[in-house]
Amino acid sequence: MFQLNENYLKLPGSYLFSTIGKKVAAYSAAHPEEKVIRLGIGDVTQPLAPAIIKALHEAVEEMGHAETFHGYAPDLGYAFLRETIAKADYQDRGCRIEADEIFISDGAKSDCGNIQEIFAPESRIAVCDPVYPVYVDSNVMAGRTGEYDAQTGTWSRVIYMPCTAENGFVPQLPQETPDLIYLCVPNNPTGTALTRDQLKVWVDYANSVGAVILYDAAYEAYISRDEVPHSIFEIDGARSCAIEFRSFSKNAGFTGVRLGFTVVPKDLKSGGASAHSLWARRHGTKFNGAPYIVQKAATAVYSEEGRAQIRDQVAYYMRNAKVIYEGLKEAGYEVYGGVDAPYIWLRVPSGMTSWDFFDYLLETAHVVGTPGSGFGPSGEGYFRLTAFGNYENTQEAIGRIRALGR
Ligand code: PLP
């Protein structure tokens, strides 16, 4: 008789967004006259930029002619895109990254979920708390996390690094030594970011204990402060201890188009084996290449007009972030994030849990956000609002919250 992978049975249900969905549906059914504004889910709302649409049309046209038709793409990505990325995102910033260290994929979620496969089953992982749930869940599926304690919402073998207002949302070096350290900068959900000096501490630590930093920079395009690095490879020593994930979802609106990439430097070695060759092997075996038309569209992101257009889109979302941040602050809330990321993280009023505040906001302001406890135990007492809505709705939502007073 077959047996299923029991590790999957240990996963708590995808409680967060389904519970939010049910609560909002129930509320809307009972109050059809109310306009509910959703600032909960991290999906973009602006259409693709004209330069990207033009590149897509041209690539589709090429696919219609035998001379310019493209079949399977190279597993690791087309050279035209890998070279463009290596130059624009790394070499022009002074990072020593070559095109053949860049692996094109269908998005950062796949890569940061799959990367754990190239590491030993007994690897200990460390995660920031709160954080994007994919890091822990993908290790649960691989049986690397021990047992779940429903009371505390923690896994016995996972090293949690609390990031709260008390430590300025900067993870402290753990007491137990991990093998794999997930860092998400700028951070989802807190919207905060590590500076170059803060990241250097982690790079030095990882090199000294022989750990790997799995660095998720999906929100890199939103960085506004000079002291926040755009890549971990801006930090000396990162080539021997870091892998970086990037996405076209949030900088260029590719959430429905799908494209991302992962940088695995050739210096990242354990014994005689290199992470680069294992990831190339894994990618080549399990992934058949991202679509030609999408890789062409991604290349347009780096053209002069593409850059200008996506800069405007990021600015549009960051104007929303400012409306949310300043509006909540003026309303008396304790607010974080929103400067280097499209997420605003606020402390819920004392005496309320994250879910109490969710209900309160839905019922009184008809605004939907995400309870912080859904991102990890240290997210309790916090709440996430996203800047990905449209400007008018964002303004209206914040106006309603302000009108409630504190
Ligand atoms: N990493 C983080 C931190 C995210 O928040 C998200 C999406 O919300 C992703 C990765 C997924 O990116 P992609 O759309 O490229 O799969």
Side-chain angles (χ1 to χ4, degrees), residues 197-280:
D197 292 347
Q198 289 164 338
L199 191 54
K200 174 82 172 114
V201 171
W202 281 94
V203 168
D204 290 347
Y205 171 75
N207 277 321
S208 72
V209 300
V212 175
I213 297 175
L214 302 169
Y215 193 77
D216 186 346
Y219 297 95
E220 171 275 332
Y222 292 84
I223 292 170
S224 70
R225 287 182 300 154
D226 288 343
E227 59 268 37
V228 177
H230 287 250
S231 162
I232 193 166
F233 298 112
E234 289 180 36
I235 312 294
D236 267 354
R239 279 188 60 87
S240 55
C241 70
I243 290 177
E244 178 165 294
F245 307 99
R246 292 278 193 101
S247 168
F248 288 89
S249 287
K250 307 297 164 74
N251 63 338
F254 276 40
T255 53
V257 178
R258 310 302 309 141
L259 207 74
F261 63 89
T262 290
V263 185
V264 188
K266 290 185 179 165
D267 299 359
L268 188 62
K269 292 190 173 143
S270 167
S274 92
H276 182 278
S277 50
L278 264 66
W279 185 243

Side-chain angles (χ1 to χ4, degrees), residues 89 96 224 282:
D89 283 330
R96 200 160 55 82
S224 70
R282 191 256 166 223

Side-chain angles (χ1 to χ4, degrees), residues 37-50:
I37 300 180
R38 293 161 199 263
L39 301 181
I41 294 182
D43 197 358
V44 294
T45 50
Q46 293 291 296
L48 292 173

